[in-house]
Amino acid sequence: MRLSALVFLLALPALRADEGMWTFDNIPTKQIKAKYGVELDAAWLKQLQLATVRFPGGTGAFVSREGLVVTNHHVGRGAIAQVSTAKADLVKDGFTAAKPGDEIKVPGLELMLLVSSDDVTARVNGAVAPGTPDQEALKARRNALADLRKAEEARTGLTCEPVTLYQGGEYWLYRYRKFKDVRLVAAPEVQVASFGGDPDNYTYPRWNLDFALFRVYEDDKPYRPEAFLPFTQTPLRAGDLTFISGHPGTTYRGQTLAQMRYAKEIGIPFQLANLARQRGALEAYAKTSPEAARVSADAIYGISNGQKRLTGQLMGLSKPESLALVASREAELRAAVVRDAGLLTGSGGSWDKIAEAVARQKALLKEYTCVGTRGCTLFGHALTLVRIQEQQAKPSAQRLPEFSDGSLKATRERLLSPRPVQVGLDQARLAWVLREALEQLGVEHAYVKAVLGGRSPEAVAQAAYAGTKLQDPAFRKQLLEGGREALASHQDPLLVLARQLEPFQRSLHHQWEEQVQSVFAEHGGRIARARFQIHGKSQYPDATFTLRLSWGAVATYDTGSGTKAQPFTTFLGLFDRHEGWGGNAAAAEDGAFTLPERWLKAKPRLALETPFNFAYGCDTVGGNSGSPVVNLKGEFVGINFDSVLEGQGGYYVYDAATKRAVAADARAILETLRKVMDANHLANELLAK
Amino acid sequence: MRLSALVFLLALPALRADEGMWTFDNIPTKQIKAKYGVELDAAWLKQLQLATVRFPGGTGAFVSREGLVVTNHHVGRGAIAQVSTAKADLVKDGFTAAKPGDEIKVPGLELMLLVSSDDVTARVNGAVAPGTPDQEALKARRNALADLRKAEEARTGLTCEPVTLYQGGEYWLYRYRKFKDVRLVAAPEVQVASFGGDPDNYTYPRWNLDFALFRVYEDDKPYRPEAFLPFTQTPLRAGDLTFISGHPGTTYRGQTLAQMRYAKEIGIPFQLANLARQRGALEAYAKTSPEAARVSADAIYGISNGQKRLTGQLMGLSKPESLALVASREAELRAAVVRDAGLLTGSGGSWDKIAEAVARQKALLKEYTCVGTRGCTLFGHALTLVRIQEQQAKPSAQRLPEFSDGSLKATRERLLSPRPVQVGLDQARLAWVLREALEQLGVEHAYVKAVLGGRSPEAVAQAAYAGTKLQDPAFRKQLLEGGREALASHQDPLLVLARQLEPFQRSLHHQWEEQVQSVFAEHGGRIARARFQIHGKSQYPDATFTLRLSWGAVATYDTGSGTKAQPFTTFLGLFDRHEGWGGNAAAAEDGAFTLPERWLKAKPRLALETPFNFAYGCDTVGGNSGSPVVNLKGEFVGINFDSVLEGQGGYYVYDAATKRAVAADARAILETLRKVMDANHLANELLAK
């Protein structure tokens, strides 16, 4: 890792952002060396891999010899809420364990560490005879992967996951070590972790101290990880090259032009319209009482988050150069395929097949979307109960995906979860789900007729929630264990509704699988294989919530308003934005810009010039929340927590000019631990090498 | 002025921005009372009017009993530069007069105070017989106004200006008191006054302490103005109603739909393309040496400023609702005109006449733009010299506008100005002007043939500047005084070029006046008169760099990035943005985010929570730079210096959601005078009532 790389970077601002979320088996180290003059050796990469852990829905990293793990506050928030009590709201007030004995175990929280992985493409493809119809091929591959997983878990005792890369161009088996004793060590107040709330989400400049510290235990003792990332003592500067190791969730960059056009013209606009109506329904419910407002807040925030992300995606896809780039790459690949008889036979027709499937996707979209439980918790439980006995009686390979051997346990756990359901909110959701069906599908649609029976959506929802007992986990357990017959005839109104939904939903699911998903899987795979044959693995696969490496420099970017975003923010700006909204006393918009009293008191002690957040050109998407950002020495410099609206088009097409991730600076974490959170011992632990 | 107005405002965010730049003779006080519950009486208005002064290109206000005047640093910058010396760069380093005797007189700087005004519409229209062709009518009105002005100046001894309001719906004579002894009292460093420079221009949140203090003297003693605006001691808050009194330059809101469509589809895109090419030419020159870069910086900044403003205008016009609003208002007015026989005769055909003139404007645009001196200083002097003798020989009414009695003195002063010309930059400009003619009009165009004679634009420019002596003011004076014959035959190469340009430019100017401008003037006036007859004066006239009042509340707005701008910024944010770019030591982009050492030293003394800038919903455009912002009590709360990119569409169509002006807070001025500029005496003077 030579210092000259930095000089080089500063001189070449065009190189400030880099494309790709690369699998650790296929890091283009030569390309990195050619561009930056730095050589990432196998030991460096292994160290980073073994320090990175997967949280439910996000990423984290070992950051001390004694098993401290850092992640985003918003990734750990569910866990922090779970260990809060009526007296101690740790989400609101923050938490610091003064000594190891004060660290709070989070029941059920499990972290996963990728230990090793195998390419099983040949074995999976070997399970499919040539000429097999697409949907059967899809099932055969799923079964082959499930068998491999089962065998490998038995052999190694590790948790194994099948991974489909490159739209089916490759199949892998990833082996994870699982950590089951995870304890909360420290977290700032949510108000600081998510300062600016919904308004500032996806924006920059930003002031979010979005971190929380956990510790992994084994045998009731702090776990000593094989690898960890010490907090750096080298100040990070604009232009410095950084690396991010994490689990980006989903991207669509391998889609064909037809698929992306669909996303731009049909899919995303449809989703945005859906979200807007859903938001309207939930906001109407939230207005009915302060308690309704409180319990709806997270759901409404989630919708707003989706609206922003999709708006950013649409902005990106709508830039003429985006789809022009996709079109030219596709034309190039298709021309190369035409020149090779073997490729032509295997994948020459695949683009047209996918285009046909897109046409089917378009035709099915409205029904497939509207006929379902759509996030309504009790309706979802009801549908699970209606199906589970019949599904369990079949061989795993013939079941619906959520009842297969690999997923059944989680499905049962979800069904029996003791977590209280917000029944009022859930009823409002059901009313919305049914109203959508009525308005989008029309009063004459068979499902609408069956489920409404001439009544209004609101009346049906009201009657269902007035009569149901499904909110009681014990009742659900009783139904589950009461045998197939009893369950099949039980007249709980939500079960009755779910039975009306079931055949329609199953049929649509089947059509979607057969006419859309299996074609995308099969022919996406064929296109990927053609691409491998022509280019080798010079490209990275779409994100799949598996471990990836990206890199890029700390860098500004052009904002839409005509100025450039500063590479770093500082504590000064946190207080500027707080005071600029009038401080806690004034009407701070939605409370998004208030600060905890502890912070206002700590202000005179704080070194206000300390960097707080920074923008950097690593290629990330959701799932990279909590991912560690490291420098050339592999030291922890910050924790990723967001990326800017302007770059959300990166879900489909990467654009170096706008793709900027946002991280909380390691120095802000240390300064806060020492000066606000009374946690010098943790700051010292994080700095110890 | 009742406090309840504030409560009302906070409760009704939709009312946060208000439309209109109203003349002081026609303030809709009833409308304001109905909306805000506050009554602006005549004394309040008169006080504000008599405290507001006009600077060259901007506005200022008396802010102390002893004649202190505040304006923007960027409005006073020319004056500050003028009184700088080789040893003391007051623009760069700032200035504080420790005592009255240290205040520095700015030769030639004159301020204007509007004392009274008369509606002379009847007299001006009386000079035009019915049926007079448009261009003759335009001239007759100009002459009538010139005569009125002359007579009134002789009668009162005041400076009088004719003012055309409502596209010619009204004609006024404004009487100004002129102050000729204006002295520089204090100014911060330009780096703080324009912190963020070109990148931050037109953006918000913002941290510009864009103020300078001058003092008016009479008889070598501080002048005691009839009215002044004391600095408030009531903290300004979000939602507070504010008023701005100033001289907005030009708006186009009275244009017809045809004119606005032209602006959107032809005019602005044409100007933007022009500016982009001009910027390319000047940036290429700037790269030739550090000195070339230095002397080009202001010009390039000016182009960038224009690009941003025009981009904002185009953004506004491109919103579908903008022209839809114009179209519906126009359709409504036209329908009303059709229903009234008198109106139909007078103005029924005016929209079509204007549409025809727009078609001519489109046809002439390229030639009218490319055939001229286009900001090339010496080429401009040459054209003035080529014309001046012949023009002076004619009666004023028959001359080109810049040689008329009212303008001749200024034209001569410009010609003889001792200000040094940056010859290298000026030559680069001429090369660009000629290249534009060649590329836009084509090699076969008669003017191109005449002026280039087969040579390249660059060669012609180089030869002209190698041979000319026009950079010498003494030489220009000698030519001017040498008599018509000598001048007509002088072979200075720029005079030769200007003689080639002259007939083409004159012909195009004539066509433009006859086919475009006079039609806009005549028929714009007819439409305005129809509107008066139907609606009365319930509307405000387009801006004309004459005194106007606007009002609106301190208010946030939605930025394009998904968040809301905070109503206030503070000193904290100034240092955040500075530190976030890496401080003075790091590569701050273009130096835009550096801070003077004095500020870094003063930081520990500063109350960093002090408000710095604020965003507010007053309706402003360029010319309002330096305008005082006052509260309900008529006290000074801030000084306007910019408005945001998102609201620039307001040049054409007002949009309450995006129209936000930006001001430097009075508290930031006081804090800086006391803690940074060693000027407690001035802070005290500003607070004294």
Side-chain angles (χ1 to χ4, degrees):
Chain A
M1 321 296 156
R2 303 199 321 256
L3 194 67
S4 66
L6 306 188
V7 178
F8 189 69
L9 259 174
L10 286 166
L12 287 168
L15 299 180
R16 278 178 181 173
D18 280 72
E19 178 166 2
M21 306 170 200
W22 298 78
T23 50
F24 273 68
D25 67 288
N26 186 38
I27 305 292
T29 48
K30 280 183 191 165
Q31 187 181 312
I32 295 171
K33 189 176 180 188
K35 187 164 170 183
Y36 294 108
V38 297
E39 203 154 348
L40 303 182
D41 60 26
W44 190 93
L45 289 167
K46 194 73 188 172
Q47 173 85 2
L48 188 54
Q49 174 185 328
L50 292 177
T52 310
V53 295
R54 196 168 79 184
F55 270 74
T59 303
F62 282 115
V63 281
S64 87
R65 198 183 306 282
E66 300 292 318
L68 268 187
V69 170
V70 70
T71 185
N72 285 150
H73 191 278
H74 81 263
V75 170
R77 195 161 306 158
I80 303 169
Q82 191 185 327
V83 299
S84 291
T85 63
K87 282 186 188 164
D89 184 342
L90 308 188
V91 173
K92 179 171 170 286
D93 297 326
F95 174 71
T96 302
K99 56 184 192 300
D102 296 343
E103 296 173 3
I104 311 175
K105 181 165 171 145
V106 186
L109 178 59
E110 294 180 344
L111 308 187
M112 309 263 277
L113 176 75
L114 178 62
V115 176
S116 62
S117 60
D118 280 341
D119 183 348
V120 296
T121 310
R123 278 185 278 174
V124 172
N125 285 337
V128 182
T132 309
D134 295 344
Q135 204 193 358
E136 279 175 42
L138 178 66
K139 277 198 179 162
R141 289 199 175 90
R142 272 191 197 150
N143 294 341
L145 281 167
D147 291 345
L148 280 166
R149 172 194 199 155
K150 212 170 189 175
E152 197 61 15
E153 290 199 335
R155 190 182 72 82
T156 62
L158 294 168
T159 300
C160 294
E161 278 187 4
V163 178
T164 301
L165 299 177
Y166 300 99
Q167 272 71 41
E170 286 188 347
Y171 299 94
W172 285 72
L173 208 62
Y174 278 30
R175 299 184 197 89
Y176 292 92
R177 168 152 196 183
K178 200 182 256 186
F179 300 105
K180 299 188 174 189
D181 185 350
V182 185
R183 306 188 188 175
L184 177 64
V185 176
E189 302 87 340
V190 64
Q191 190 53 49
V192 172
S194 295
F195 183 76
D198 177 46
D200 277 8
N201 192 20
Y202 290 114
T203 71
Y204 185 84
R206 190 80 164 275
W207 295 270
N208 282 19
L209 197 68
D210 197 353
F211 87 101
L213 291 171
F214 293 85
R215 194 186 304 276
V216 168
Y217 279 72
E218 270 199 349
D219 303 327
D220 221 24
K221 280 185 298 221
Y223 172 71
R224 296 179 70 95
E226 208 175 322
F228 72 95
L229 310 171
F231 271 41
T232 190
Q233 306 207 29
T234 310
L236 186 70
R237 292 203 161 84
D240 284 0
L241 185 59
T242 63
F243 301 84
I244 180 170
S245 162
H247 304 87
T250 309
T251 54
Y252 313 104
R253 295 185 193 166
Q255 287 192 348
T256 66
L257 182 61
Q259 289 175 299
M260 291 209 198
R261 281 212 182 114
Y262 169 87
K264 179 188 156 200
E265 286 154 24
I266 311 285
I268 298 177
F270 179 82
Q271 287 184 74
L272 280 170
N274 261 321
L275 285 175
R277 291 192 301 265
Q278 188 181 1
R279 184 171 182 159
L282 296 195
E283 285 180 345
Y285 171 71
K287 282 195 188 115
T288 58
S289 74
E291 176 63 7
R294 193 186 67 77
V295 302
S296 318
D298 279 355
I300 292 169
Y301 177 86
I303 292 171
S304 178
N305 183 60
Q307 288 176 308
K308 285 193 181 187
R309 189 185 60 246
L310 288 165
T311 300
Q313 289 177 7
L314 197 53
M315 280 161 55
L317 281 172
S318 299
K319 278 186 272 189
E321 58 271 31
S322 298
L323 291 194
L325 180 67
V326 174
S328 76
R329 282 181 186 161
E330 186 163 305
E332 213 173 287
L333 181 58
R334 291 182 76 159
V337 164
V338 166
R339 286 193 297 269
D340 180 314
L343 290 178
L344 189 60
T345 310
S347 60
S350 290
W351 284 274
D352 291 346
K353 287 277 184 193
I354 286 178
E356 283 163 27
V358 166
R360 286 305 302 151
Q361 185 179 26
K362 184 174 163 184
L364 287 168
L365 175 67
K366 226 179 229 187
E367 278 187 290
Y368 181 71
T369 305
C370 291
V371 177
T373 59
R374 306 189 74 176
C376 176
T377 307
L378 296 188
F379 198 20
H381 288 336
L383 186 61
T384 300
L385 286 165
V386 163
R387 282 177 170 164
I388 195 163
Q389 308 286 13
E390 174 252 348
Q391 286 285 311
Q392 283 182 150
K394 292 184 183 180
S396 175
Q398 290 171 29
R399 298 179 204 152
L400 291 165
E402 66 269 32
F403 298 100
S404 68
D405 281 345
S407 306
L408 188 59
K409 193 177 156 218
T411 299
R412 289 177 65 102
E413 280 173 3
R414 208 163 41 243
L415 178 66
L416 300 180
S417 162
R419 203 175 151 197
V421 174
Q422 298 296 343
V423 178
L425 175 63
D426 216 46
Q427 179 186 324
R429 263 190 210 280
L430 180 62
W432 171 75
V433 169
L434 298 176
R435 178 152 290 286
E436 283 285 292
L438 173 63
E439 291 181 357
Q440 297 294 308
L441 306 178
V443 70
E444 294 302 322
H445 191 284
Y447 164 63
V448 175
K449 280 183 171 172
V451 82
L452 293 185
R455 296 164 299 167
S456 78
E458 292 71 23
V460 171
Q462 170 142 27
Y465 280 79
T468 190
K469 290 182 194 157
L470 285 183
Q471 67 272 30
D472 177 4
F475 179 65
R476 297 197 296 270
K477 189 157 191 245
Q478 179 195 324
L479 284 172
L480 182 64
E481 291 167 355
R484 195 165 171 175
E485 308 271 308
L487 186 49
S489 61
H490 198 285
Q491 290 303 305
D492 185 282
L494 279 173
L495 290 174
V496 173
L497 270 190
R499 276 183 217 113
Q500 288 160 335
L501 166 68
E502 204 282 333
F504 293 99
Q505 205 269 354
R506 183 189 297 240
S507 159
L508 284 161
H509 173 83
H510 179 74
Q511 291 176 64
W512 190 263
E513 280 268 304
E514 186 178 51
Q515 300 167 16
V516 182
Q517 282 313 114
S518 63
V519 183
F520 289 169
E522 178 62 27
H523 294 280
R526 291 187 190 198
I527 291 170
R529 288 190 288 277
R531 199 182 280 121
F532 288 165
Q533 195 165 321
I534 293 163
H535 297 295
K537 274 178 68 178
S538 63
Q539 287 164 334
Y540 55 93
D542 262 318
T544 51
F545 199 44
T546 51
L547 194 67
R548 304 295 176 90
L549 183 76
S550 303
W551 52 92
V554 176
T556 177
Y557 64 101
D558 290 324
T559 68
S561 68
T563 190
K564 290 191 172 191
Q566 59 206 48
F568 291 90
T569 66
T570 71
F571 282 74
L572 287 156
L574 173 75
F575 289 105
D576 177 70
R577 197 136 169 79
H578 170 72
E579 293 289 341
W581 279 102
N584 285 344
E589 199 84 20
D590 299 325
F593 302 102
T594 56
L595 278 178
E597 284 304 319
R598 180 166 73 158
W599 280 73
L600 301 180
K601 277 186 201 139
K603 192 172 150 206
R605 294 194 299 276
L606 288 163
L608 295 174
E609 297 76 9
T610 307
F612 206 81
N613 287 173
F614 59 88
Y616 63 115
C618 282
D619 195 359
T620 67
V621 291
N624 268 131
S625 279
S627 296
V629 187
V630 302
N631 61 16
L632 285 169
K633 292 191 267 183
E635 297 167 336
F636 181 91
V637 295
I639 184 161
N640 185 69
F641 70 89
D642 202 2
S643 59
V644 301
L645 191 75
E646 293 87 340
Q648 298 299 317
Y651 275 87
Y652 291 88
V653 183
Y654 174 82
D655 171 21
T658 57
K659 184 67 222 174
R660 290 296 181 277
V662 184
D665 195 291
R667 288 163 286 190
I669 296 174
L670 293 173
E671 182 73 4
T672 300
L673 288 172
R674 292 194 192 283
K675 309 270 183 76
V676 185
M677 292 175 64
D678 202 13
N680 262 323
H681 59 298
L682 295 174
N684 293 339
E685 183 180 345
L686 291 167
L687 284 168
K689 297 225 177 163
Chain B
M1 320 295 158
R2 304 200 319 259
L3 194 68
S4 67
L6 306 190
V7 178
F8 188 70
L9 258 176
L10 285 168
L12 287 168
L15 298 180
R16 279 178 180 173
D18 280 71
E19 178 166 2
M21 307 169 200
W22 299 78
T23 50
F24 273 69
D25 68 286
N26 185 39
I27 304 292
T29 49
K30 281 184 192 165
Q31 186 181 312
I32 294 170
K33 190 177 180 188
K35 187 164 170 183
Y36 295 108
V38 297
E39 204 156 346
L40 302 183
D41 61 26
W44 190 93
L45 288 167
K46 195 73 189 171
Q47 175 84 1
L48 188 53
Q49 174 185 329
L50 292 178
T52 310
V53 295
R54 195 167 79 184
F55 272 74
T59 302
F62 282 115
V63 281
S64 88
R65 197 183 307 284
E66 300 292 319
L68 268 188
V69 170
V70 69
T71 186
N72 285 149
H73 191 278
H74 81 263
V75 169
R77 194 162 305 159
I80 302 169
Q82 191 184 328
V83 298
S84 291
T85 62
K87 280 185 190 165
D89 183 342
L90 308 188
V91 173
K92 179 172 170 285
D93 297 326
F95 174 72
T96 303
K99 55 184 193 301
D102 295 344
E103 297 173 1
I104 311 175
K105 180 164 171 143
V106 185
L109 178 59
E110 295 181 345
L111 308 187
M112 311 263 276
L113 177 75
L114 179 61
V115 176
S116 64
S117 60
D118 280 340
D119 184 347
V120 296
T121 311
R123 277 184 278 174
V124 172
N125 285 337
V128 181
T132 309
D134 295 345
Q135 203 194 358
E136 279 176 41
L138 177 67
K139 278 199 178 162
R141 290 199 174 92
R142 273 193 196 146
N143 294 340
L145 281 168
D147 292 346
L148 280 166
R149 172 195 200 157
K150 214 170 186 174
E152 198 60 15
E153 289 198 337
R155 191 181 71 81
T156 61
L158 293 168
T159 300
C160 295
E161 279 187 4
V163 178
T164 302
L165 299 178
Y166 299 100
Q167 273 70 41
E170 284 189 347
Y171 299 94
W172 285 72
L173 208 60
Y174 278 31
R175 299 185 198 88
Y176 292 93
R177 167 150 198 187
K178 202 182 255 186
F179 300 105
K180 299 189 173 187
D181 184 351
V182 184
R183 306 188 189 177
L184 176 65
V185 177
E189 302 87 340
V190 63
Q191 190 52 49
V192 171
S194 294
F195 183 77
D198 176 47
D200 276 8
N201 192 21
Y202 291 114
T203 72
Y204 185 84
R206 191 79 162 275
W207 295 270
N208 282 18
L209 198 68
D210 197 354
F211 88 101
L213 290 171
F214 292 85
R215 195 186 302 278
V216 167
Y217 279 72
E218 271 199 346
D219 304 326
D220 222 24
K221 280 186 297 219
Y223 172 72
R224 295 180 71 94
E226 207 175 322
F228 73 95
L229 311 171
F231 271 42
T232 190
Q233 306 208 29
T234 309
L236 185 69
R237 292 202 163 83
D240 284 359
L241 186 59
T242 63
F243 301 84
I244 180 169
S245 163
H247 303 87
T250 309
T251 54
Y252 313 105
R253 295 184 193 166
Q255 287 193 348
T256 67
L257 182 61
Q259 290 175 296
M260 292 210 199
R261 281 211 182 114
Y262 169 87
K264 179 188 156 201
E265 286 155 24
I266 311 284
I268 298 178
F270 180 82
Q271 287 184 73
L272 280 171
N274 262 321
L275 285 175
R277 290 192 300 266
Q278 188 181 1
R279 183 169 182 161
L282 296 195
E283 284 180 343
Y285 171 70
K287 281 195 189 117
T288 58
S289 75
E291 177 62 8
R294 193 186 66 78
V295 302
S296 319
D298 278 357
I300 292 169
Y301 177 85
I303 292 171
S304 178
N305 184 59
Q307 288 176 307
K308 285 194 181 187
R309 189 184 61 247
L310 288 165
T311 300
Q313 290 178 7
L314 196 53
M315 279 162 55
L317 280 172
S318 299
K319 279 186 272 190
E321 58 271 33
S322 297
L323 290 194
L325 180 67
V326 173
S328 76
R329 283 181 185 159
E330 184 164 305
E332 212 173 286
L333 181 59
R334 291 183 77 160
V337 164
V338 166
R339 287 192 297 269
D340 181 312
L343 289 179
L344 189 59
T345 309
S347 59
S350 290
W351 284 276
D352 291 346
K353 288 278 186 194
I354 286 178
E356 284 163 26
V358 166
R360 288 303 303 151
Q361 186 180 25
K362 184 174 161 183
L364 286 168
L365 175 65
K366 226 179 231 187
E367 277 185 291
Y368 180 70
T369 305
C370 290
V371 177
T373 59
R374 308 189 73 177
C376 175
T377 308
L378 296 189
F379 198 20
H381 288 335
L383 186 62
T384 301
L385 285 165
V386 163
R387 281 175 171 163
I388 196 163
Q389 308 285 13
E390 174 252 349
Q391 286 285 312
Q392 284 183 150
K394 293 183 182 181
S396 174
Q398 290 171 29
R399 299 179 204 153
L400 291 166
E402 66 269 31
F403 298 101
S404 69
D405 281 347
S407 306
L408 187 59
K409 193 176 156 221
T411 299
R412 289 177 65 101
E413 280 174 1
R414 209 163 41 243
L415 178 65
L416 301 180
S417 161
R419 203 175 151 201
V421 174
Q422 298 296 344
V423 178
L425 175 63
D426 216 46
Q427 178 185 324
R429 263 191 210 280
L430 180 62
W432 171 75
V433 168
L434 299 176
R435 177 152 291 284
E436 283 286 292
L438 172 63
E439 292 181 356
Q440 297 293 310
L441 306 178
V443 70
E444 294 302 321
H445 191 284
Y447 164 62
V448 175
K449 280 184 172 172
V451 82
L452 293 185
R455 296 165 299 168
S456 78
E458 293 71 24
V460 171
Q462 170 144 26
Y465 279 78
T468 190
K469 289 181 194 156
L470 285 182
Q471 67 271 33
D472 178 3
F475 179 66
R476 298 197 295 268
K477 188 157 192 245
Q478 178 195 322
L479 284 172
L480 182 64
E481 291 168 355
R484 194 167 172 176
E485 309 271 309
L487 188 47
S489 61
H490 198 285
Q491 290 303 303
D492 185 283
L494 280 173
L495 288 175
V496 172
L497 271 188
R499 274 182 220 115
Q500 287 160 335
L501 166 68
E502 203 282 332
F504 293 99
Q505 205 269 354
R506 183 188 295 239
S507 160
L508 284 162
H509 172 83
H510 179 74
Q511 292 176 65
W512 190 263
E513 279 270 305
E514 185 177 51
Q515 300 168 18
V516 182
Q517 282 312 114
S518 63
V519 183
F520 289 168
E522 178 62 27
H523 295 280
R526 292 187 188 197
I527 292 170
R529 289 191 288 277
R531 198 183 281 121
F532 287 164
Q533 194 165 322
I534 293 164
H535 297 295
K537 273 178 70 177
S538 64
Q539 287 163 335
Y540 56 92
D542 261 318
T544 51
F545 200 43
T546 52
L547 194 68
R548 304 296 176 89
L549 183 75
S550 304
W551 52 92
V554 176
T556 177
Y557 64 101
D558 290 323
T559 67
S561 68
T563 191
K564 290 192 173 193
Q566 59 207 49
F568 291 90
T569 65
T570 71
F571 282 74
L572 287 158
L574 173 74
F575 289 105
D576 177 70
R577 197 138 167 80
H578 169 73
E579 293 289 341
W581 279 103
N584 286 344
E589 200 84 18
D590 299 327
F593 302 101
T594 57
L595 279 176
E597 285 304 320
R598 179 166 74 158
W599 280 73
L600 301 180
K601 277 185 202 139
K603 193 173 150 205
R605 294 194 300 275
L606 288 163
L608 296 175
E609 297 76 10
T610 307
F612 206 82
N613 287 173
F614 60 88
Y616 63 116
C618 282
D619 196 0
T620 66
V621 289
N624 268 133
S625 280
S627 296
V629 187
V630 301
N631 61 17
L632 285 169
K633 291 190 267 185
E635 298 166 336
F636 181 91
V637 296
I639 183 161
N640 185 68
F641 71 88
D642 201 3
S643 60
V644 300
L645 190 75
E646 293 86 340
Q648 299 299 316
Y651 274 88
Y652 290 89
V653 183
Y654 173 82
D655 171 22
T658 56
K659 183 68 223 176
R660 290 295 181 278
V662 184
D665 195 291
R667 289 164 286 190
I669 296 174
L670 293 173
E671 182 73 4
T672 300
L673 288 172
R674 291 194 193 283
K675 308 271 182 76
V676 185
M677 291 176 64
D678 202 13
N680 263 322
H681 59 297
L682 295 173
N684 292 339
E685 183 179 345
L686 292 167
L687 285 168
K689 297 223 178 167

